[in-house]
Amino acid sequence: RRLDKVVSAMRPGDTVLMQFGHNDQKQIKENKGGPFTTYKDEIRAHVEAIRAHGGISVIVSSMERRNFDQAGKVVPSLRDYADAARESAKELGVAFIDLNAMSKPFYEALGPELSKQAFAEPLPGRIDNTHHNNYGGYELAQAVLTGLRRSGVPAAAFIADGYGNFDPTHPDPVASFAVPASPTFTNERPLGDEANQ
């Protein structure tokens, strides 16, 4: 009932960014759906609910997972979901941010080894190749801001100067990235992928 919670708090003109994909792949494994069926149906239901409450939907494709081939190129694992998200945005007439396409050159710019530093490390020496740490999250947030600017949605007017022009082939250096300490910060792994710990 998360959608109900979101629309209950919305005001007309609010912008809602939505991204699905990684967990939806479990439907294929369980033979319960796929990218061009249940996934697109979910996107449509969300867009329609947001529209009914006067909101502006922005569909964001799923960022890729960290998996490289021998040539140092990212091996796609979510291409069908990115294509289905793009199709849905076009069919529904809403903005689309292709984070899947922007995440691949970001990972490749870092390479197979350095890219590990953009992902969560739930246990010492164990890299989570799906969920990001602060650095990876920050870089992908920059990609989303760039997509918002390019889409021309009204919310893009609120992007601070100096942001929204991210080039994923030239990410910020990992070595100089730092987040100020926060009393509420935790390195605890997000819920949802316990089977892979």
Side-chain angles (χ1 to χ4, degrees):
R1 306 228 12 206
R2 289 182 185 161
L3 178 58
D4 294 339
K5 184 177 181 179
V6 169
V7 296
S8 73
M10 282 182 56
R11 293 177 291 181
D14 281 354
T15 299
V16 179
L17 282 74
M18 61 184 88
Q19 179 194 62
F20 314 103
H22 293 89
N23 291 334
D24 293 274
Q25 284 185 316
K26 294 174 186 174
Q27 292 179 343
I28 294 174
K29 196 176 194 179
E30 297 165 0
N31 213 16
K32 294 181 179 177
F36 299 101
T37 56
T38 53
Y39 178 68
K40 287 182 75 172
D41 292 343
E42 284 290 324
I43 290 174
R44 178 177 296 281
H46 281 67
V47 169
E48 288 174 354
I50 290 162
R51 274 194 178 134
H53 286 80
I56 299 166
S57 297
V58 178
I59 297 172
V60 182
S61 63
S62 301
M63 70 290 259
E64 196 49 75
R65 290 186 172 90
R66 184 186 160 278
N67 184 17
F68 289 88
D69 64 17
Q70 293 295 325
K73 296 292 182 187
V74 171
V75 177
S77 67
L78 290 153
R79 181 179 291 144
D80 286 347
Y81 285 89
D83 290 345
R86 182 182 301 100
E87 282 180 16
S88 294
K90 186 174 182 181
E91 291 165 5
L92 297 167
V94 300
F96 175 67
I97 298 173
D98 198 348
L99 188 59
N100 186 271
M102 288 189 276
S103 66
K104 289 183 255 187
F106 164 50
Y107 303 158
E108 289 171 0
L110 296 173
E113 282 306 308
L114 192 57
S115 63
K116 292 176 183 177
Q117 294 186 39
F119 286 81
E121 188 174 354
L123 298 170
R126 172 118 189 215
I127 302 300
D128 174 337
N129 293 307
T130 299
H131 300 95
H132 298 85
N133 60 16
N134 287 337
Y135 170 73
Y138 178 82
E139 296 299 290
L140 291 173
Q142 291 273 34
V144 171
L145 289 175
T146 300
L148 277 175
R149 248 194 224 287
R150 290 177 183 164
S151 74
V153 296
F158 298 100
I159 298 172
D161 292 341
Y163 294 92
N165 298 302
F166 180 69
D167 178 355
T169 64
H170 294 91
D172 296 311
V174 178
S176 62
F177 180 80
V179 175
S182 169
T184 59
F185 173 75
T186 177
N187 280 320
E188 186 175 333
R189 180 187 175 103
L191 296 177
D193 199 26
E194 291 79 8
N196 294 319
Q197 286 188 356

